[in-house]
Amino acid sequence: AGPSGAMLRASLSTQFSNTNNSKTTIADSSANATTSKNTSLSWIYLIPVLLYRASNWLQGPYFYALYSNKHAIREDLRDYGGMTTLYVSGYLASLTAGTFFGSLTDRWGRRQGCLLCGLAFAFTCLSVHSESLPVLLAGRLTSGIGSTLLHSAFEAWLVGESARVGGPGWRQDLMLPIISLQTSLNSLIAIMSGVVATFAVDKFGITGASDLGFVLLVIGMSFVLTMWVENRGWPGNSAIRDEPKPAVQSVVAAGPETTRPPLQPLGSTA
């Protein structure tokens, strides 16, 4: 009984060790696969979204200087609030778009929503070359629509793509590191954009920052068009019909923005 018992214990020990090694190998393979998926999805998502955000940041520092020099704003819009009206028009467009575009992009496709965001911002960049008041106001309206899509359609696409690539169980594991990295890089880009915008304006004139922003948008849209797979939300979804809270929240959030006076840059005499 002694030798056979020792052999049995040795056999069981070997089998237990092999099982543990097999589980470890499977766990390592799963972790490596998740890391690979995360890296691939990170750059497919981050490159265009950061290009869009960089384009948006570039235009901020010279917004007042650019529009306040327009004859149409100084004269034609003077009796209707001037620069304040221009600011408010963008916020009102964002308010309206935010109420409806979430459910629309779910139906039509998040990738399509991101492309529409790029087109809206691109029109804003081009509109600053015009002296026509309707064109300038239309540019502010498309800027508001683009801002809404920038802060909704991209992350909605990431949610759907994470579920497609990793399955529902891995969705959070794929998304959270990407969102964290996006936040950090966006902060860095915001800081750098002020310096780059100043260089562009000094080199190419007051519209230089908008022109550079347009170039970044074209690159970002090209990336979305060629590298992204379309995904959609649940069919029959209606944010207004099924859940009216977003409409109320949009009004509450937009209130303080539309009533505050526009900020003027340092050294402005306007």
Side-chain angles (χ1 to χ4, degrees), residues 64-86 130-133 136 268-270:
Y64 188 91
L66 175 59
Y67 283 96
S68 62
N69 285 326
K70 297 289 184 181
H71 180 271
I73 304 298
R74 292 199 315 268
E75 302 298 331
D76 300 344
L77 203 60
R78 180 175 55 187
D79 296 335
Y80 302 96
M83 286 294 294
T84 302
T85 301
L86 203 64
S130 174
E131 291 291 341
S132 168
L133 181 58
L136 293 172
S268 171
T269 58

Side-chain angles (χ1 to χ4, degrees), residues 19-36:
T19 301
N20 283 342
N21 290 337
S22 177
K23 289 180 178 179
T24 301
T25 302
I26 294 173
D28 290 343
S29 299
S30 179
N32 291 336
T34 303
T35 301
S36 176

Side-chain angles (χ1 to χ4, degrees), residues 12-267:
L12 290 175
S13 177
T14 301
Q15 290 180 8
F16 182 75
S17 176
N18 289 338
T19 301
N20 283 342
N21 290 337
S22 177
K23 289 180 178 179
T24 301
T25 302
I26 294 173
D28 290 343
S29 299
S30 179
N32 291 336
T34 303
T35 301
S36 176
K37 290 177 181 178
N38 182 275
T39 302
S40 176
L41 182 58
S42 291
W43 295 113
I44 289 176
Y45 170 75
L46 287 174
I47 289 175
V49 74
L50 292 176
L51 286 171
Y52 275 55
R53 289 183 179 272
S55 173
N56 201 29
W57 283 119
L58 281 171
Q59 300 171 63
Y62 289 91
F63 176 92
Y64 188 91
L66 175 59
Y67 283 96
S68 62
N69 285 326
K70 297 289 184 181
H71 180 271
I73 304 298
R74 292 199 315 268
E75 302 298 331
D76 300 344
L77 203 60
R78 180 175 55 187
D79 296 335
Y80 302 96
M83 286 294 294
T84 302
T85 301
L86 203 64
Y87 272 87
V88 171
S89 63
Y91 289 122
L92 288 178
S94 184
L95 162 66
T96 306
T99 306
F100 298 102
F101 270 71
S103 57
L104 290 179
T105 52
D106 279 345
R107 291 181 184 179
W108 297 342
R110 282 82 175 261
R111 175 173 169 268
Q112 300 282 9
C114 295
L115 291 172
L116 179 60
C117 171
L119 291 174
F121 278 141
F123 179 83
T124 301
C125 293
L126 295 176
S127 70
V128 301
H129 291 277
S130 174
E131 291 291 341
S132 168
L133 181 58
V135 173
L136 293 172
L137 287 174
R140 296 317 306 157
L141 295 178
T142 56
S143 176
I145 294 172
S147 295
T148 294
L149 291 169
L150 179 63
H151 294 93
S152 59
F154 280 89
E155 292 181 6
W157 180 87
L158 178 62
V159 171
E161 186 66 6
S162 298
R164 186 187 73 85
V165 171
W170 290 103
R171 186 170 62 187
Q172 280 195 338
D173 293 334
L174 288 174
M175 282 178 53
L176 293 180
I178 296 174
I179 295 297
S180 176
L181 183 58
Q182 173 189 319
T183 302
S184 300
L185 292 177
N186 184 51
S187 301
L188 181 62
I189 288 172
I191 296 170
M192 295 173 58
S193 293
V195 178
V196 176
T198 300
F199 172 80
V201 169
D202 290 343
K203 190 75 173 175
F204 304 108
I206 193 64
T207 61
S210 295
D211 294 338
L212 179 56
F214 178 81
V215 173
L216 296 182
L217 286 170
V218 171
I219 298 172
M221 284 190 290
S222 300
F223 201 94
V224 170
L225 192 61
T226 57
M227 299 296 293
W228 283 24
V229 177
E230 184 62 275
N231 65 56
R232 294 176 173 83
W234 293 274
N237 226 12
S238 174
I240 305 302
R241 184 188 67 237
D242 301 335
E243 180 54 77
K245 288 182 180 179
V248 178
Q249 291 169 346
S250 297
V251 174
V252 172
E257 298 292 347
T258 54
T259 55
R260 72 176 185 177
L263 297 176
Q264 297 184 8
L266 294 175

